[in-house]
Structure formats: C-alpha cells, structure tokens
C-alpha cells in the first residue's frame, strides 16, 4: 500500500480530532458567553495579606520579586 | 465647596457629602456598601475600576415572596442535598469591577459556594448551601450592595429557552469540510497529465464526496427547508436558487466522479455553504442583555401578600390569586390585579399603564386597576378579577402580539431572489435548448453549469453583512434593534408617531415653577430640610432644585402618606403637600401637578411641575418632518397641547387621552396607506408598538424595562433618530449596489457556463472571489456611513 494512504488517514484523523474538540467545546457552552472570560482572566490572583495591613499593588510586586532572588 | 464625587459610585456629591474613612460619599447607601466591601476584604473592587459602584436603591424591594417554597422552586436551576443553584438577572452589572465583586460573593457569606457572572446577559449564577442561607437572604444581600436582582414572572422555570447552538455546529461542519476539500481538490486544479496524480485522483475525489455529504445533508438543511416552504407558499425567496444551486452542485459533482468525467465542484459546494452560514451567523447579532419580547409578566411581581380570614399574612404566587382574596400592597409595589381598595390611602402612579404622569389619589372603596404602582403607605385591597382577566393584561390577548412582523415582511433580498430565480431558469432553459440543437452531448453540462454559477451566493451575503454591520453600528450609538429585518422596515417608514409622556418628555427631570408669595431665606432652609427627610418622588425632585444650603435642625417631622409633610423648627412650622392638605382649593387641576406650601399656617404658594421635554426634541421634529408625517398619541390630558403645536408642523395629528386600545386602533387605521413607525415607552404603548411596522421603545435605562418592541433606543440618543432612519435607507442602497456588483460576477460566470467551458477551477475561483469582495465592500461602506453618525453629534 502506498504511503499516501497512510498520510491521508493520519491527516484526516487529526482533522477529525480537532473537529470533535470543537463540537465538545460548543456543547459545553464555551461559546455562550464569549465576553466574561476575557475579563475574568485579567483579575490578579489575590495575595493573602494580613488584615488591617494594606499594601498597595506595586509594593506587593516588589516584595514578590525580592523573594525570588 | 469644590465639587466632589462619590468614592463608590462616582456621582457628584452636590450639597452634602458623607465623610467616612477620609473619603467622600454621595449618600449613606454608598458609604454602607464601602464599609461592607472593606471589612470583607473586597476593597480590590475600587482598585480595579475607580468609582464603579452602584448606589443601593433606598426604597427596598420586598423579597418576602421568596419565602414561599413553591415560588422558589420554580426559580431554582438545581436543588438537592442542601445545595441550591439559581440564576438571577441583575440589570446593574456594568463593568469589570462588578464581575470581580459578584464572583467573590463567597467572601460576604460563607454559605455561597460559587458565583459566576454572564456579563453580556447581565446574569449571575450562584451556588449556595441552604443550611443557614436562602434565596431570600441572597436577594437581600445582593440588593444591599447595590445589585438588586430582578425577579419577575418571566423567570419561571420552563419558560427558559435553551440556547440554540445548531448554527455553530453547522458552521463547524461546513468549515471543516471546506478546508479539507480545498486541500484535496488543489492538485487537480493544475490538470497536469502526471502519473501519480492520475493514480490517486479517484481516492481524492471520493474523499471529497464523503466530506461533502454532511455539508449537503446537515449544514445546508435550513436552505432546503426554507426553499420548500417558499415554494409551498408560492413565493420564490432567495433560498430557492440557493437550494437549487447546492443540489445541482452535489448531483453534477457526484455524476462527474462516478462516470469519471471530471473532479466535480465539491470545493465550490462546501465553500458556498460555509460562506452562507457565516453570513447567517454575522446577522444574528443579538443583544443578549435586552429583551424585546417582554409583556406585563416581566413587570409584574411574582408573589404577593395575601391576608387570610384571621388577618395572617402569607406569600402566594400571583397566578394563585382568586377573586375575593384580600391582598396587602406595600409602598412601591405594583398592584397585580383589578381590585377594590378596602383600607388605606391610595396614591397610585399609573404612568406605565396610561402614560399619565401624575399620581392618582383614591379613597377607600374605589376601584384600582392592575399595573399601577402604589407610591406610599400600605393598602388592603379585595380582588375583583384574576391576573389574566385584568384591564391591562387583557390587552395582550389581542392578536397583534402573536403576529410575527419579520416573517410577514418581504425583504429586499427575497424580492430580488424571485426575479433572479426566474431569470436564471430562463437562461438555463434557453442555453440548454441551444446546445440540444447544435451539440446535444454538452446540453446537460451547460444546464447544470448555469445553475451552479448563478447560485446567488454574493446576493445572499450582501444583506446579512450590510445590515448586520449596521446593526452593530447602531448598537454602538445606543440604538438596539431586535434583528436586521427591522432595519429594512425602518428604511421604508413614512409616518412617525410619538407617545408623549416618557418618550419626548423626560421622567428624570421636571421643570418646576414657583407661584405665590416669595419665601424668606429661613423658610427656604426649613423647606429644604423637611423635603430632605422625605422619600416621596415629588419631594426628591423638589429637593434637588432648591438652592438653599443651610440645614436646620427639625424639632418635629411628620409624613402623612398620600397627603404631605409637616415639620417644626425652632418657632416656625411648615406644611408641604396637596392642596386640600395645606387648606387650599384645587386650581386648574387638569393640566399640572403641584405641591402646595404653607408656613405658620399661612398659605405661601405652590410649586408647579411641568413635563420637561428632552433637549433637542424640537430639532428632532424639524428634521423628521422633512421626510415623514408626524403624529403624537398621548395617554395624558391635553394640558400640553399648545406647547406641542408650537413645536410641531401644523399638519401633525395630536391626540390626547388615548387608551392603550385606542393607540393600537389609530396605528392600524394609519397603516392602510402608510408604513408607520411608533415611538413609545410604556406598557400603554405596547399594543401600538406591536401593531406598527416598526415599534421603538425609548428608555432612560435600557436595562430596566421596556415593552415588547422591534428596537430599544436609549433616551440620550433620541435626537439621532433621523440619522438612524437615514442610515437605514442608505444601507438599502448599499445592498442594491452590491446586487449590481454580484450580477457582474454572474454575467462573467454565465459566459463560461453557456459556452460550455465551465471548469471546476473557474467556479472555485469565482465563487469565493465574488463572496469575499461583496463582504469587504459592504463592510467598508457601512463603516464609512457609520462615521457620519459620529460626526453628527
């Protein structure tokens, strides 16, 4: 059998896998709300701070940088 | 004093800012929300977006009906094992801070497990444990931080429509097939006599055939169905030539590969369906957070308080109300049924039902109609009719509400499609007869080639892309149309009818005139201080216009519901309220709302409230009058007739005291010879909006409520209405030019088809080329047109 059939089979299988992935993503409702997730992912993860001890955003970034060094 | 703005909501704190934690707040409501946020570790809210909060509504809505398990059960999405999930609609969601806050609700109450916001729909889904929490506490918690959930009859289970995702699947299938078929058909475009190509072309062709099957039988099913429907009702819509094209493409290609005549047109077939579906997707722009189908149900409360024989209160579902029941109606609640007032002083705002802006005072024993809002004080009423039988709700039994305007209207595309189909079939038959005479072997080839190349892909795409893009441009300028069909109808309008109250007048602001003896400074400050303590809408609007800034301490304050206010400060006393309360006879009662003032038991004067027209209304009428016939339909009395006549051209029809049914009939009579645009705002216009060719609801706050309509126009954009109508007309011109363009492509294609030279590669080039150039042309042109809208303002 020619290698071209193998190649065709592989390429179509890959395409079908992506197609199935698309169908599943639609079915799970990923496309129902295309806006909110784009905002949600921009929220910073909250850094646990001691209550009554507010540190501004910038200071926190510096602080985490320090610990990395 | 410098003008400070509220740290929470950003409104200006004119007058009396509340200081707290080194920050200024416009009111105690905002301050309280700030306190809640900071003590619960939610102050990130203010870092995300400054001054983004919403002020909690001071007049708290009652959520007592959420104690009724039956009602709650109908609202919940899920309820098991002490876990409940509910989806609530919150109109005040407006920014990213809101999303963050509402998704961190768990910090405010430990029972809230999870909350997720759907921003475009302005909805929140909350999962919570029921151990020490309930839907009612959730509703109260949300309204205490300024996010008052809107719960109405409409939210009931069963009516929630499932989201239709079939178009997405179809686009997926068509796109998937299109891409793969393109790859497989590419080698044969070059038509080289090559050994390897010759060897494998059959495999390639049958693979393409396999890919095209789901496209023909699944993705393009809508076109076949619509074409069949069109033929059955003897209307040749645009889907007839499309379906014919798809079918011919498929059959001809199958025959070609079976008998080894050629490679077939599978590339064009899948591409055509893919582009057509994309066009459909593009025109399906919807404003998910707006509802264009509302009726009284979204306005009415879902539960009411019933008094049983022993005077005990219980919460019941409105549909359970029976004739003869005793109900309790609290301040700011809506009367759900026609009833008789048994106890209490009724002061009812019927503005939603009748358009009449003035509240009506009713003594005990009088009949009250459903849809009115009780302004102050508690009422006890006896039910006369059930919900669906009431005066207001009966309007919805009229057949206009079940009529679908879009399907009754023949779009430009469909009317072109009819002629187009006839022309294509004629050409196909003529060309085939010619070839039958001279070279019969080629006849079938030519016949199918004509049908293939004439498939009006570009024509079918012109309207969706032009109108879809226009719809988005309108949306950016705060004019939200229900669908693209409404733009076409708007372009045809030749008569515009306006409602008065709430449409061309504003409900936010009144012009207030003072008539009587001038007040002294000390009297003014007592007046202002007294008004400050009252929540009555008239007091609020009077309070905001009074200039005095001195605040005096009141020794005594009394608010008599439905009558007025009384206050004492040092040795002065003041009475503010209705004429009879202050001890004055009514003066020209019909035309205006007034508040009477007396100090130390002597009458001083009255404040007259007049409807304030929206800025630019006279200009609006002037520019509309150039193209359209105008008219005013008002449910209000004729007190404003003179002012309106000055503003409008002499030929304008002015009608006052119109009941909802009258408005509907008037529009109907106009429609015999005109295309009517109705612009209204309230439930009282609902019938007229539904009857008219295009019904537009004007709204101060598009999230709150507007009756069923074809479009919702933000009140601030009302003056742009002539520009919107003008742009709709221009869009139609753009579509017509696109039709001409695509006809040029068709002529070129037809040349190849009738001469029997149509190669698959030509079809594969011509079809996407014409479609894409039409899409680019219409999108660019509509964007340029849309820019005019910006320049105008």
């Amino acid at each position: 059998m020619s290698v071209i059939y193998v190649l065709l089979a592989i390429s179509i299988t890959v395409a079908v896998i992506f197609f199935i992935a698309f169908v599943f993503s639609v079915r799970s409702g990923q496309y129902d709300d295309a806006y909110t997730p784009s905002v949600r992912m921009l929220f910073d993860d909250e850094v646990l701070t001691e209550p009554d001890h507010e540190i501004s955003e910038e200071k926190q970034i510096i602080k985490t940088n320090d610990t990395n060094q | 004093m410098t003008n400070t703005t509220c740290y929470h909501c950003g409104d200006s704190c004119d007058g009396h800012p509340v200081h707290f934690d080194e920050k200024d707040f416009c009111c105690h409501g905002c301050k309280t929300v700030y306190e809640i946020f900071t003590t619960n570790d939610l102050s990130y809210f203010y870092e995300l977006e400054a001054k983004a909060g919403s002020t909690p509504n001071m007049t708290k809505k009652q959520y007592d009906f959420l104690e009724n398990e039956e009602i709650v059960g109908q609202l919940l999405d899920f309820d098991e094992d002490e876990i409940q999930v509910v989806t609530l609609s919150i109109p005040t969601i407006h920014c990213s801070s809101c999303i963050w806050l509402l998704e961190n609700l768990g910090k405010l109450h430990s029972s809230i497990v999870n909350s997720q916001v759907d921003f475009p729909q302005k909805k929140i889904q909350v999962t919570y444990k029921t151990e020490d929490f309930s839907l009612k506490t959730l509703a109260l918690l949300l309204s205490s931080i300024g996010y008052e959930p809107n719960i109405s009859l409409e939210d009931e289970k069963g009516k929630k429509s499932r989201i239709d995702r079939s178009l997405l699947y179809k686009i997926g299938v068509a796109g998937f097939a299109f891409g793969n078929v393109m790859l497989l058909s590419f080698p044969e475009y070059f038509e080289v006599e090559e050994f390897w190509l010759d060897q494998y072309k059959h495999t390639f062709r049958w693979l393409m055939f396999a890919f095209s099957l789901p496209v023909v039988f699944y993705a393009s099913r809508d076109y076949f169905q619509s074409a069949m429907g069109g033929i059955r009702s003897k209307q040749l819509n645009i889907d007839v030539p499309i379906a014919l094209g798809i079918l011919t493409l498929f059959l001809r290609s199958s025959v070609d590969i079976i008998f080894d005549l050629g490679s077939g047109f599978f590339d064009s077939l899948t591409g055509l369906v893919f582009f057509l579906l994309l066009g459909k997707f593009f025109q399906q722009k919807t404003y998910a957070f707006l509802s264009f189908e509302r009726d009284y149900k979204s306005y009415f409360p879902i539960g009411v308080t019933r008094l049983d024989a022993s005077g005990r209160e219980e919460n019941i579902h409105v549909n359970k109300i029976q004739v003869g029941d005793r109900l309790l109606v609290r301040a700011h609640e809506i009367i759900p049924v026609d009833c008789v007032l048994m106890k209490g002083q009724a002061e009812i705002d019927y503005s939603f039902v009748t358009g009449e802006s003035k509240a009506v005072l009713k003594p005990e024993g009088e009949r009250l109609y459903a849809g009115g809002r009780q302004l102050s004080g508690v009422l006890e009423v006896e039910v006369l009719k059930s919900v669906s039988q009431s005066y207001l709700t009966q309007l919805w039994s009229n057949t206009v509400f079940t009529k679908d305007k879009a399907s009754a209207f023949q779009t430009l595309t469909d009317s072109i499609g009819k002629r187009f189909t006839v022309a294509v079939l004629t050409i196909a038959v003529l060309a085939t007869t010619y070839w039958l005479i001279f070279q019969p072997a080629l006849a079938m080839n030519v016949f199918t080639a004509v049908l293939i190349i004439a498939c009006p892909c570009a024509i079918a795409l012109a309207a969706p892309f032009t109108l879809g893009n226009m719809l988005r441009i309108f949306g950016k300028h705060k004019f939200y149309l229900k669908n693209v069909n409404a733009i076409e109808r708007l372009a045809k309008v030749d008569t515009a009818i306006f409602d008065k109250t709430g449409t061309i007048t504003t409900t936010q602001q009144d012009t207030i005139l003072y008539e009587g003896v001038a007040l002294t400074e000390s009297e003014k400050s007592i007046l202002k201080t007294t008004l400050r303590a009252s929540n009555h809408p008239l007091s609020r609007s009077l309070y905001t216009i009074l200039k005095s800034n001195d605040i005096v301490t009141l020794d005594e304050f009394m608010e008599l519901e439905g009558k007025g206010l009384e206050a004492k400060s040092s040795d002065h006393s003041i009475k503010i309220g209705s004429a009879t309360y202050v001890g004055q006879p009514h003066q020209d009662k019909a035309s205006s709302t007034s508040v009477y003032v007396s100090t130390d038991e002597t009458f001083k004067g009255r404040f007259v409230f007049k409807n304030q027209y929206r800025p630019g209304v006279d200009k609006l009428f002037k520019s509309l009058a150039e193209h359209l016939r105008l008219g005013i339909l008002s449910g209000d009395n004729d007190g404003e007739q003179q002012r309106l006549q000055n503003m409008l051209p002499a030929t304008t029809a002015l009608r006052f005291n119109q009941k909802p049914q009258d408005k509907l009939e008037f529009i109907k009579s106009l429609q015999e010879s005109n295309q009517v645009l109705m612009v209204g705002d309230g439930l009282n216009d609902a019938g007229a909006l539904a009857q008219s060719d295009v019904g537009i609801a004007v709204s101060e706050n598009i999230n709150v409520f507007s009756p069923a309509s074809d479009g919702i126009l933000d009140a601030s954009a009302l003056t742009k209405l002539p520009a919107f109508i003008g742009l709709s007309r221009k869009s139609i011109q753009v579509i017509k030019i696109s039709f001409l363009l695509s006809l040029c492509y068709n002529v070129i294609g037809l040349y190849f088809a009738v001469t029997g030279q149509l190669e698959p590669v030509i079809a594969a080039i011509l079809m996407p080329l014409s479609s894409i150039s039409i899409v680019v042309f219409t999108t660019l042109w509509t964007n340029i047109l849309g820019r005019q809208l910006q320049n105008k303002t």
Side-chain angles (χ1 to χ4, degrees):
Chain A
M1 199 171 81
S2 169
V3 71
I4 200 126
Y5 294 114
V6 181
L7 287 175
L8 272 177
I10 292 172
S11 76
I12 288 168
T13 318
V14 171
V16 166
I17 289 170
F18 277 103
F19 178 69
I20 291 169
F22 170 76
V23 169
F24 270 105
S25 68
V26 175
R27 182 160 294 173
S28 68
Q30 279 188 34
Y31 292 88
D32 295 349
D33 177 6
Y35 180 79
T36 324
S38 71
V39 179
R40 194 177 292 136
M41 70 174 217
L42 295 174
F43 296 142
D44 290 328
D45 289 338
E46 282 161 82
V47 185
L48 286 172
T49 49
E50 295 292 313
D52 306 318
H53 193 265
E54 285 199 15
I55 312 163
S56 79
E57 286 288 292
E58 287 155 323
K59 276 184 195 160
Q60 283 183 13
I61 294 163
I62 295 164
K63 207 176 153 193
T64 42
N65 283 348
D66 284 346
T67 49
N68 287 342
Q69 279 161 8
Chain B
M1 190 191 290
T2 50
N3 205 9
T4 48
T5 52
C6 176
Y7 184 74
H8 177 69
C9 69
D11 280 355
S12 86
C13 318
D14 44 17
H16 316 281
V18 183
H19 294 285
F20 179 77
D21 203 13
E22 295 173 15
K23 286 158 185 110
D24 290 319
F25 298 94
C26 66
C27 58
H28 283 279
C30 285
K31 192 207 86 177
T32 317
V33 178
Y34 172 81
E35 263 186 288
I36 296 173
F37 287 178
T38 41
T39 51
N40 284 292
D41 209 10
L42 287 169
S43 54
Y44 180 54
F45 178 78
Y46 298 101
E47 285 170 32
L48 213 55
E49 205 150 317
K51 300 179 175 172
S54 25
T55 319
N57 199 338
M58 295 307 275
T59 52
K60 280 231 165 62
K61 262 195 191 172
Q62 299 287 333
Y63 290 110
D64 285 346
F65 60 84
L66 293 178
E67 282 168 5
N68 183 320
E69 280 184 13
E70 197 188 336
I71 296 174
V72 171
Q74 280 176 317
L75 293 167
L76 293 175
D77 301 338
F78 176 85
D79 182 11
E80 222 163 87
D81 292 339
E82 303 197 324
I83 295 272
Q84 289 183 343
V85 181
V86 70
T87 307
L88 296 170
S89 147
I90 301 181
T92 42
I93 295 178
H94 64 282
C95 67
S96 48
S97 275
C98 302
I99 300 176
W100 181 81
L101 178 78
L102 290 172
E103 299 204 332
N104 281 287
L105 272 185
K107 288 188 177 176
L108 287 179
H109 200 291
S110 54
S111 296
I112 299 174
V113 181
N114 181 33
S115 52
Q116 193 171 12
V117 175
D118 182 335
F119 189 80
Q121 299 212 44
K122 306 205 181 213
K123 280 189 174 159
I124 180 173
Q125 189 174 52
V126 188
T127 313
Y128 55 88
K129 291 182 208 146
T130 49
E131 209 172 324
D132 57 344
F133 202 67
S134 71
L135 187 57
K136 188 191 166 191
T137 30
L138 174 69
L140 289 174
L141 174 74
L142 283 169
S143 47
S144 74
I145 55 171
Y147 295 100
E148 201 174 273
N150 191 8
I151 302 169
S152 64
L153 271 178
E154 217 180 25
D155 298 312
E156 284 191 348
K157 218 193 230 165
K159 282 176 190 162
K160 278 179 196 160
S161 55
R162 299 239 73 204
I163 314 153
D164 183 22
R165 302 183 184 126
S166 65
L167 185 58
L168 273 175
Y169 290 127
K170 282 173 186 165
I171 291 178
V173 169
F176 168 73
F178 176 50
N180 283 291
V181 169
M182 261 331 224
L183 279 177
L184 293 169
S185 63
F186 206 67
E188 281 209 76
Y189 286 168
F190 302 102
E191 197 73 31
V192 264
E193 295 293 324
E194 200 236 358
F195 173 75
W196 288 109
L197 191 61
D198 245 21
Q199 187 94 358
Y200 293 113
K201 69 179 180 195
H202 300 287
T203 320
F204 281 32
R205 285 173 183 179
W206 283 108
L207 270 176
M208 289 195 279
F209 174 78
F211 277 121
S212 73
L213 285 175
V215 175
V216 174
F217 292 101
Y218 173 66
S220 50
R221 203 166 52 189
D222 290 348
Y223 292 100
F224 290 120
Q225 277 166 355
S226 162
M228 284 303 288
I231 292 169
R232 235 176 258 142
S233 60
K234 288 181 184 161
Q235 267 187 333
L236 290 173
N237 54 23
I238 192 73
D239 290 335
V240 174
I242 291 177
L244 207 59
I246 295 172
L247 203 66
T248 329
L249 272 166
F250 181 67
L251 292 178
R252 160 92 187 257
S253 309
S254 308
V255 171
D256 273 6
I257 62 163
I258 290 168
F259 298 103
D260 198 16
L261 299 170
S263 58
F265 297 84
F266 294 114
D267 43 359
S268 303
L269 168 66
T270 47
L272 168 81
V273 176
F274 181 58
F275 283 123
L276 284 173
L277 290 173
L278 277 187
K280 227 181 204 179
F281 182 70
F282 193 76
Q283 88 170 13
Q284 246 190 5
K285 164 77 181 176
T286 47
Y287 298 101
F289 62 97
L290 295 175
S291 172
F292 296 99
E293 313 291 348
R294 284 170 175 161
D295 59 10
Y296 67 93
K297 285 191 180 121
S298 52
Y299 178 59
F300 273 29
I302 195 165
V304 287
T305 313
R306 183 169 67 183
L307 294 172
D308 64 10
S310 59
R312 208 167 49 85
E313 291 180 18
E314 59 174 337
N315 295 303
I316 58 157
H317 194 282
V318 273
N319 287 339
K320 292 256 165 77
I321 299 177
Q322 283 166 359
V323 177
D325 280 354
R326 283 253 176 154
L327 303 179
L328 207 63
V329 179
R330 299 188 184 82
H332 302 286
E333 281 188 350
I334 288 157
I335 300 168
V337 285
D338 292 355
C339 50
V340 171
L341 180 59
M342 304 305 285
K343 215 192 262 176
Q345 172 76 48
E347 183 179 8
I348 293 166
D349 172 13
Y350 276 123
S351 59
F352 246 101
V353 190
T354 59
E356 168 77 52
S357 53
K358 193 169 50 169
V360 195
L361 293 171
K362 287 275 169 84
E364 282 168 24
E366 281 277 323
R367 189 177 173 150
L368 304 176
Y369 292 104
R373 186 187 286 274
Q374 163 68 352
L375 290 182
S376 55
V378 183
L379 301 182
E380 220 181 287
V381 295
E382 194 173 292
V383 178
L384 288 177
K385 282 175 177 171
S386 68
V387 174
S388 56
Q389 296 289 307
S390 288
Y391 166 72
L392 174 69
T393 49
Q394 264 183 343
L395 182 65
W396 270 269
S397 56
N398 195 304
T399 49
V400 292
F401 288 99
T402 51
K403 198 177 69 181
D404 182 14
K405 284 187 224 173
S407 63
F409 178 80
Q410 197 188 24
T411 63
L412 190 58
T413 316
D414 280 340
S415 64
I416 293 274
K418 191 172 163 185
R419 283 172 233 167
F420 192 85
T421 316
V422 175
V424 167
L425 288 176
T426 323
I427 293 173
V429 170
L430 285 179
T432 316
T433 7
Y434 174 84
W435 286 104
L436 271 177
I437 299 163
F438 294 97
Q439 206 177 336
L442 260 177
M444 212 49 214
N445 179 331
V446 168
F447 182 71
T448 49
V450 170
L451 290 186
I452 287 170
I453 205 69
C455 185
C457 180
I459 290 184
L461 285 179
F465 277 92
T466 313
L467 300 177
N469 202 26
M470 213 28 116
L471 197 73
R472 286 171 173 77
I473 292 169
F474 283 0
K476 273 183 207 146
H477 291 89
K478 298 183 176 172
F479 180 33
Y480 309 94
L481 280 171
K482 184 170 152 191
N483 51 34
V484 292
N485 191 282
I487 300 185
E488 282 203 59
R489 278 180 279 142
L490 190 60
K492 287 202 167 168
V493 153
D494 59 13
T495 308
I497 305 295
F498 286 82
D499 169 53
K500 185 177 75 74
T501 320
T503 307
I504 52 175
T505 65
T506 164
T507 48
Q508 304 285 60
Q509 216 182 353
D510 289 308
T511 316
I512 303 173
L513 300 169
Y514 179 70
E515 294 170 1
V517 193
L519 298 169
T520 63
E521 276 310 311
S522 67
E523 281 168 343
K524 276 184 190 165
S525 44
I526 300 178
L527 176 65
K528 177 126 183 168
T529 320
T530 314
L531 290 170
R532 194 181 173 199
S534 161
N535 251 334
H536 193 280
L538 289 181
S539 316
R540 302 307 314 169
S541 51
L542 199 51
Y543 175 76
T544 47
I545 63 133
L546 289 176
K547 292 217 168 52
S548 169
N549 272 330
D550 299 326
I551 294 300
V552 290
T553 345
L554 295 177
D555 302 329
E556 246 177 67
F557 173 78
M558 210 165 47
E559 180 158 6
L560 293 167
E561 273 158 2
K563 287 177 181 167
L565 313 169
E566 189 172 357
K568 274 199 181 114
S569 171
S570 46
D571 47 347
H572 292 291
S573 73
I574 192 163
K575 266 181 153 188
I576 309 160
S578 65
T580 41
Y581 176 65
V582 179
Q584 282 293 310
H586 270 289
Q587 296 175 7
D588 55 74
K589 178 180 166 218
S591 65
S592 54
T593 312
S594 320
V595 170
Y596 293 76
V597 179
S598 74
T599 53
D600 301 328
E601 298 298 320
T602 42
F603 174 67
K604 288 287 174 180
R606 59 176 188 153
F607 290 93
V608 182
F609 288 73
K610 279 206 166 145
N611 282 326
Q612 169 137 359
Y613 289 93
R614 294 188 194 280
V617 164
D618 37 356
K619 234 189 195 167
L620 166 78
F621 285 137
K622 210 174 270 170
S623 58
L624 280 179
E626 290 170 17
H627 302 291
L628 308 171
R629 275 183 40 184
L630 298 178
I632 300 278
L633 275 183
S634 177
D636 218 339
N637 56 52
D638 57 3
E640 296 278 321
Q641 188 164 13
Q642 200 53 47
R643 273 170 81 185
L644 281 168
Q645 269 168 354
N646 294 340
M647 256 195 301
L648 288 151
T651 52
T652 311
L654 293 174
R655 285 173 173 240
F656 295 96
N657 299 314
Q658 298 280 302
K659 292 198 179 72
Q661 190 68 33
D662 300 339
K663 291 189 176 188
L664 195 158
E665 296 298 334
F666 179 71
I667 300 280
K668 208 177 205 170
S669 66
L670 273 179
Q671 275 177 322
E672 282 165 18
S673 52
N674 296 293
Q675 302 280 326
V676 185
L677 162 73
M678 173 75 202
V679 186
D681 74 313
L683 276 186
N684 59 320
D685 305 316
L689 289 172
Q691 175 65 41
S692 62
D693 292 286
V694 185
I696 297 176
V698 173
S699 179
E700 306 262 349
N701 181 350
I702 51 162
N703 302 319
V704 177
F705 175 84
S706 48
S709 57
D710 299 301
I712 298 172
L713 178 64
D714 192 285
S716 63
L718 183 67
T719 49
K720 288 187 197 163
L721 191 62
F724 289 131
I725 297 175
L727 277 182
S728 311
R729 291 183 175 164
K730 280 182 186 149
S731 312
I732 300 299
Q733 284 170 8
V734 173
I735 297 177
K736 284 181 179 163
I737 295 169
S738 319
F739 284 170
L740 282 180
L741 253 176
S742 67
L743 272 183
C744 293
Y745 284 114
N746 272 321
V747 169
I748 299 170
L750 280 173
Y751 164 76
F752 287 107
V754 293
T755 51
Q757 307 173 49
L758 185 71
E759 298 292 331
V761 66
I762 295 172
I765 292 171
L766 213 55
M767 264 193 190
L769 183 73
S770 63
S771 306
I772 291 169
S773 61
I774 291 293
V775 169
V776 171
F777 169 77
T778 53
T779 314
L780 282 182
W781 198 323
T782 41
N783 280 340
I784 292 168
L785 285 176
R787 217 165 281 160
Q788 291 176 358
L789 205 58
Q790 246 147 10
N791 296 340
K792 245 171 212 161
T793 50

